[in-house]
Amino acid sequence: MRLYGRVAAERTLPQHQRLAAFCGQLRTDGMHFEKLCRDGLSSTDEVWCGTVAQAIALLPPERLVAVRVFWLKTLSEPAQIRLLQAVVHVKSPVAKDMIADAIAKSQSPALRLMALEGLGRTGTAADVDTLVTWMQGGDADVAAAARRGLISIDDVTADARLVARLKSFEGDAPMLAKLIDVLAVRNALGFADSLVPFLSHPDAAVRTQAFKAIGQQGLYAHQAPVLAAAAKAKDGVERKEARRAVARIARRAGGVQFKARRIGNARTEACGVADFDGDGKLDVIAGPFLYRAPEFRPVKVREVKSDVKEDGKGYAHDFMNLPLDVNGNGRPDVVSGNWFSKETWWIENLLPSTNVWTQHLIEKTGNIETGILVDLDGDGKATDFLPDTQLTCLYKPTGKGAFTRDSVSNDRCDMGRGCGDLNGDGRNDILTPSAWYERLADGGWRKHPLDVGFSDGGRALGHASNLIVYDVNKDGLADILVSSAHKYGIFWWEQLKERNAAGEIQFKKHVIDDTWSQAHYLGWGDIDGDGVPELITGKRFMAHNGGDPDEYGHLGIYYYDFTPGPDPVFKKYVIAYDTDISVGLNVEAVDLDGDGDLDLVTTGKWGGPVILENKTKVAK
């Protein structure tokens, strides 16, 4: 404790060393604890006071009980706000008590607003009534803070409590409209039946919010009442929302619904899902942060260079986050790479240590767009790393922190990679947009021509998404699903029975959807549980900083359902549209919550990652 005090007071030392020592004092010096809290939180240095607030918030609950005794009496208003923000952020066990103190005892309007919003971030359905009461008041700032609190409650049973409160406000149109708006913003699923009666409410604002909420979750059964109500809408804002509701329900009818949960706001483009800490639950890695289940709070494990601005322009120098056990210790590490430095790395998982994970160079591969893990030997485990570079090569981990490199081809190739048994010989081949490489019985490769690429303004000859190998029409021959990475179009290429004059495989192009651009990655998973995978994709945001077709169009995530067989029809369903969520360099289909259906995880320069929970059981 004395050493901490001496280091913290030594002005000649770097600030980060003094600050670390000061935080040590907070943990050890009980006699001067109150003074240390007051001094640390009153600092004019934002880094200092912010770090001190976080350190206090992370103290054991019994220490924070002591803070409750003096924080409202002796700390300045800015210090009170900083401390409450930190306690709420980490969801400390005493956060609710401090929030209650701030609401009931503080004379600071700013602290009360922070407390009301914090009540939502830490609260449950039991706090709905309190926040609704504050939302009714005449103070606009207080009502807005209570609204943000209601939106932030993470307890899904809060949705039902909010719906139950609607009846008590049927005669108060402004409040009723506000509560339905809260339900819409929360994307509360499964309550469309309860909201349909409000489509005929006398007040246009109430009807408008009902259209908005039902449009987010309505199923085919709700299409008729929505259409009937939309035909009567006269107000301009109401008519616009009614049209959107009709369109959304029509696209969704019969489809799987998802509920979005944004767990971060990092402007990166790649993510991975695996059990990184060995607790049996799937975690999310995205850019510099690991989001550990079940809370998915961000923990920084990497340094990622980034110049991405608020408008999405710029790049995070991290183009893939592939979970792979490289050193053979039973825990997944991360394979990553950078277009600009032309390098691929593996980042060593150091859990349970709190140290930043160690980055190891795999190879200078040249410009790397992204990469995928593939199952080359057909054992059901995708453990080979196939990078998306100008050369075609394959990396297999040795289990000792290294890789063996298979130089499949040194010919220049286009961006876009895939792996699958294209010729039906029982061995998985490697695909690029302009060639496919047959895996020979002796482990070698034979190059064959292929042309499923797309002109990309001179930046690449055939810039494509990843390529998926699947027998779409069930004729016994493997077909290819692929999209234009930066222009318009998602396609499947049918493998024909007839070979060309040179004896090579021929393909016929079929359009799946060419109405939107930037489908840079194709996810693949059985999200509706019918035994057939669906194609999952979305519009990449600011891939080339505004230089691509329809770069500023509405963001969206979609899936395409089809039944394999002759002349298959792909039906498009909306997962998210115009909600600042889309797909960056990948979307992962995994059973994240263990309920038996596949959820989705993705991120992008719009700020993520986002978990899209599959609500199949609710929808049915």
Side-chain angles (χ1 to χ4, degrees), residues 223-236:
Q223 193 167 36
V226 169
L227 279 169
K232 300 175 183 177
K234 293 183 174 61
D235 176 79

Side-chain angles (χ1 to χ4, degrees), residues 114-190:
M114 174 64 221
L116 288 170
E117 190 169 345
L119 181 59
R121 296 185 182 278
T122 59
T124 65
D127 299 298
V128 166
D129 290 346
T130 300
L131 288 167
V132 168
T133 299
W134 281 98
M135 193 173 165
Q136 287 180 266
D139 188 312
D141 291 336
V142 170
R147 175 184 180 274
R148 292 193 295 271
L150 284 170
I151 291 169
S152 301
I153 294 177
D154 201 28
D155 182 358
V156 294
T157 62
D159 295 336
R161 183 60 191 157
L162 276 166
V163 171
R165 290 301 309 271
L166 295 178
K167 293 182 179 179
S168 58
F169 293 101
E170 288 184 354
D172 184 350
M175 187 63 185
L176 185 57
K178 290 176 183 177
L179 288 180
I180 298 176
D181 171 61
V182 167
L183 286 165
V185 176
R186 285 178 59 84
N187 195 18
L189 299 178

Side-chain angles (χ1 to χ4, degrees), residues 525-556:
D526 182 13
I527 58 177
D528 62 5
D530 66 352
V532 178
E534 280 73 48
L535 193 65
I536 310 147
T537 185
K539 185 181 184 70
R540 188 179 172 192
F541 178 54
M542 288 293 148
H544 290 127
N545 297 325
D548 289 315
D550 194 35
E551 184 72 276
Y552 294 92
H554 294 304
L555 298 181

Side-chain angles (χ1 to χ4, degrees), residues 98-382:
M98 293 181 69
I99 288 169
D101 290 344
I103 293 174
K105 301 176 183 178
S106 173
Q107 301 301 313
S108 165
L111 185 63
R112 186 177 293 113
L113 296 180
M114 174 64 221
L116 288 170
E117 190 169 345
L119 181 59
R121 296 185 182 278
T122 59
T124 65
D127 299 298
V128 166
D129 290 346
T130 300
L131 288 167
V132 168
T133 299
W134 281 98
M135 193 173 165
Q136 287 180 266
D139 188 312
D141 291 336
V142 170
R147 175 184 180 274
R148 292 193 295 271
L150 284 170
I151 291 169
S152 301
I153 294 177
D154 201 28
D155 182 358
V156 294
T157 62
D159 295 336
R161 183 60 191 157
L162 276 166
V163 171
R165 290 301 309 271
L166 295 178
K167 293 182 179 179
S168 58
F169 293 101
E170 288 184 354
D172 184 350
M175 187 63 185
L176 185 57
K178 290 176 183 177
L179 288 180
I180 298 176
D181 171 61
V182 167
L183 286 165
V185 176
R186 285 178 59 84
N187 195 18
L189 299 178
F191 299 100
D193 290 342
S194 300
L195 296 175
V196 165
F198 296 107
L199 293 174
S200 58
H201 193 276
D203 188 85
V206 173
R207 297 195 301 270
T208 299
Q209 294 301 332
F211 276 122
K212 180 179 178 181
I214 296 173
Q216 288 181 330
Q217 57 175 290
L219 301 175
Y220 184 79
H222 304 112
Q223 193 167 36
V226 169
L227 279 169
K232 300 175 183 177
K234 293 183 174 61
D235 176 79
V237 176
E238 182 187 358
R239 289 184 63 185
K240 179 180 179 180
E241 202 61 61
R243 286 196 299 269
R244 293 181 68 183
V246 170
R248 288 177 174 180
I249 293 173
R251 288 194 298 264
R252 190 188 302 121
V256 178
Q257 293 188 65
F258 291 83
K259 184 167 184 176
R261 177 184 176 188
R262 193 184 299 266
I263 60 174
N265 288 286
R267 294 183 180 273
T268 59
E269 292 193 273
C271 64
V273 180
D275 180 10
F276 288 95
D277 54 13
D279 65 353
K281 299 180 179 65
L282 294 176
D283 313 301
V284 177
I285 186 85
F289 299 106
L290 174 68
Y291 302 82
R292 295 173 68 173
E295 295 86 3
F296 297 106
R297 297 193 189 106
V299 178
K300 190 170 184 178
V301 296
R302 299 178 55 199
E303 295 292 341
V304 173
K305 181 181 178 182
S306 176
D307 56 11
V308 181
K309 302 176 181 63
E310 288 300 307
D311 60 2
K313 294 182 179 180
Y315 295 96
H317 294 210
D318 177 45
F319 287 77
M320 56 188 168
N321 287 181
L322 305 177
L324 182 64
D325 183 6
V326 179
N327 54 11
N329 66 354
R331 287 196 177 177
D333 308 294
V334 178
V335 175
S336 183
N338 180 11
W339 173 277
F340 300 98
S341 68
K342 304 180 181 182
E343 297 172 329
T344 54
W345 321 289
W346 73 277
I347 297 90
E348 184 177 358
N349 180 349
L350 298 183
L351 293 177
S353 166
T354 58
N355 294 334
V356 173
W357 294 3
T358 306
Q359 181 169 295
H360 305 270
L361 179 68
I362 298 176
E363 192 171 28
K364 283 188 171 291
T365 51
N367 296 120
I368 179 161
E369 173 77 1
T370 183
I372 56 176
L373 296 178
V374 299
D375 175 16
L376 188 62
D377 54 13
D379 64 355
K381 299 177 182 179

